[in-house]
Each structure stands twice: as C-alpha cells, then as structure tokens.
Amino acid sequence: DDGRVGFNFGVNVDIPLLQSLYLQTGLYATQKGAKNEENEDDIKYEEEVNPLYLEVPVLASYRYNFSDAVQLQFNVGPYFAYGIAGKYKESDSFDGLKSEEESDYFGDDDDQHGGKRFDVGLQVGTGVTIKKFFVGCAYEFGFAKAIKDSKAKNTNFMVNVGYNF
C-alpha cells in the first residue's frame, strides 16, 4: 500500500505547565488514506481510500528557546479521532474494459470495506517557531484497527505550517 497526500488543518492551544513544558491540544480536520495497485497478467486492480477525521491531539510539548525569536519544540502524546466522511474506490481493467465502484469508506451500508470511525494512537513531532511562524512535522502511529476485518492501522506523516497569534 502507498500513502496518499492529504490535508490537515485546524486550531490549537498551548497551556503552560512548567517553564518549558506545555500541554498542547486542539481540533483538526485530517485526511488520511492509502492507494493499492496490483497487476497480474492483463488485469490491473486499484483500490483507494480517503477518510476524513476530526482529530484531537493531547500532547506534552517541550520548548527550548534559542533566543527570543527562535524556539524549538518536541511534542508527544495521544490523539483521538472520529471519522466523519470518506470514500472507498476500487477499479479493475482487463483488455481495455474498466469497471469502477465507489462506496462510503466508513461502511454505513455494512459493506466489507468499511473503515472504523474511531481512531486512537500516538503522535510524535518536532518543529521550530521563528518569531510567530511555525514549521514542523509529526508522525502518527494508530493503535486501533482502521478497517473492519483487517489488521491495518492508520499511520500518518504531517508537515505543519502555522502562525501563532
């Protein structure tokens, strides 16, 4: 399976706990997904999922100040997500004939490809703030099954760009 490029946007809040330690939480819309392609003889099979989750991370954020204008941070903690939308698409082609089928990823119609709406996992990330601009990256390791009747779990790599008010 190959990952897909998606989006992640939202708002967060930093709650100071100690001099360099913060609790960071917020609400994000996060698109996850994967694409799988198989070729066998003259048959080509493709499968693509693109779920959209509302996500709440609860992160411990350690900050190191290089100067008044530059700050490095390391974040780690759980995230909790609930699937709100998404599509599952499969197609196959043989001898120039192509068939496509699309359904709700979360399987409200109880099909076998339905994803699980609830996701929970661990997020680890780092970033730098220069004046009020933030640039960083994070990785998520899902603990819950992503798809019914499967061992697959969500993983997600994010690049973040933001502005601190």
Side-chain angles (χ1 to χ4, degrees), residues 3-7 31-33:
R4 294 188 61 251
V5 173
F7 61 85
Q31 186 179 43
K32 301 180 182 186

Side-chain angles (χ1 to χ4, degrees), residues 101-114 117 148:
E101 195 175 311
E102 196 172 285
S103 62
D104 178 7
Y105 172 74
F106 290 107
D108 292 337
D109 56 3
D110 287 329
D111 71 12
Q112 65 181 356
H113 304 295
R117 284 194 185 273
K148 297 171 189 167

Side-chain angles (χ1 to χ4, degrees), residues 40-45 91-99:
E40 202 172 296
D41 297 326
D42 292 339
I43 301 172
K44 182 179 180 183
Y45 176 76
S91 64
D92 53 44
S93 56
F94 174 73
D95 260 353
L97 300 172
K98 186 173 183 176
S99 70

Side-chain angles (χ1 to χ4, degrees), residues 72-89:
L72 180 65
Q73 71 183 55
F74 300 97
N75 305 320
V76 64
Y79 72 87
F80 305 91
Y82 185 79
I84 58 171
K87 294 289 181 196
Y88 169 83
K89 185 166 65 171

Side-chain angles (χ1 to χ4, degrees), residues 16-137:
L17 299 176
L18 300 170
Q19 183 176 359
S20 296
L21 187 64
Y22 292 76
L23 175 68
Q24 186 179 79
T25 188
L27 180 64
Y28 294 88
T30 302
Q31 186 179 43
K32 301 180 182 186
K35 186 175 185 175
N36 183 33
E37 224 176 87
E38 295 177 19
N39 293 303
E40 202 172 296
D41 297 326
D42 292 339
I43 301 172
K44 182 179 180 183
Y45 176 76
E46 290 181 359
E47 188 175 43
E48 187 174 343
V49 295
N50 63 347
L52 177 64
Y53 291 88
L54 284 181
E55 191 169 286
V56 177
V58 181
L59 308 174
S61 182
Y62 174 76
R63 313 288 169 87
Y64 180 79
N65 293 322
F66 286 105
S67 68
D68 289 341
V70 180
Q71 181 183 71
L72 180 65
Q73 71 183 55
F74 300 97
N75 305 320
V76 64
Y79 72 87
F80 305 91
Y82 185 79
I84 58 171
K87 294 289 181 196
Y88 169 83
K89 185 166 65 171
E90 65 181 335
S91 64
D92 53 44
S93 56
F94 174 73
D95 260 353
L97 300 172
K98 186 173 183 176
S99 70
E100 267 188 23
E101 195 175 311
E102 196 172 285
S103 62
D104 178 7
Y105 172 74
F106 290 107
D108 292 337
D109 56 3
D110 287 329
D111 71 12
Q112 65 181 356
H113 304 295
K116 303 283 259 177
R117 284 194 185 273
F118 183 70
D119 187 26
V120 62
L122 178 69
Q123 185 182 119
V124 178
T126 187
V128 64
T129 300
I130 301 172
K131 296 192 179 180
K132 294 207 173 259
F133 294 95
F134 175 79
V135 176
C137 62

